Amino acid sequence: MTTNMVYQVHVGDGFKKKRMKRTNSFFKTPGEAISEALAFKEKMDVTYQNEIIWDYSRKIKGTVEKMKILKGYLKGDKKTDAFYLQITSVEHLDEYNVVTPKKPKKISTKDKKVVSQVTKLFV
């Protein structure tokens, strides 16, 4: 049995108040997980007609086991439940299904900075 780390993306939908993830999907690298997270972000932006204001100034919090990388609020109202992108890591066991990540169509300059910051934290 081989062991090393795999990564999974969790997304919080502040409007529907539920957590989402692609079922049984784990990624080999933090970079792949970040790509998947940004694809989820892009999908939420389309769903909510770009009315989620993402807080890029917020410090990335957590440990490599559970790290919230980006938080946002519908119409910027911080009194509402937050939308968030989170990456978790677990020890890889052979039974985890490692998949290819979804990729966002576009990545903004601010998103590239988040990718850079998160990648450094996982190294």
Side-chain angles (χ1 to χ4, degrees), residues 18-84:
K18 71 178 194 176
R19 192 169 102 170
M20 301 175 292
K21 65 182 177 182
R22 188 159 49 137
T23 306
N24 295 322
S25 59
F26 295 89
F27 305 99
K28 293 179 187 176
T29 67
E32 288 181 350
I34 295 166
S35 177
E36 177 87 0
L38 292 176
F40 263 115
K41 175 186 169 285
E42 191 173 68
K43 185 177 178 182
M44 285 192 298
D45 282 339
V46 169
T47 300
Y48 293 100
Q49 301 170 339
N50 293 314
E51 290 189 347
I52 300 171
I53 307 298
W54 295 98
D55 185 0
Y56 290 96
S57 64
R58 182 184 160 274
K59 186 174 179 174
I60 296 171
K61 294 182 180 178
T63 63
V64 292
E65 287 82 22
K66 185 177 180 181
M67 183 181 302
K68 284 195 180 174
I69 62 170
L70 197 55
K71 205 172 194 180
Y73 298 91
L74 195 58
K75 298 183 181 180
D77 184 359
K78 291 189 177 184
K79 293 178 184 172
T80 62
D81 289 330
F83 291 79
Y84 65 86

Side-chain angles (χ1 to χ4, degrees), residues 89-101:
S89 59
V90 293
E91 194 171 305
H92 178 255
L93 301 173
D94 291 332
E95 67 265 12
Y96 287 135
N97 184 27
V98 177
V99 298
T100 304

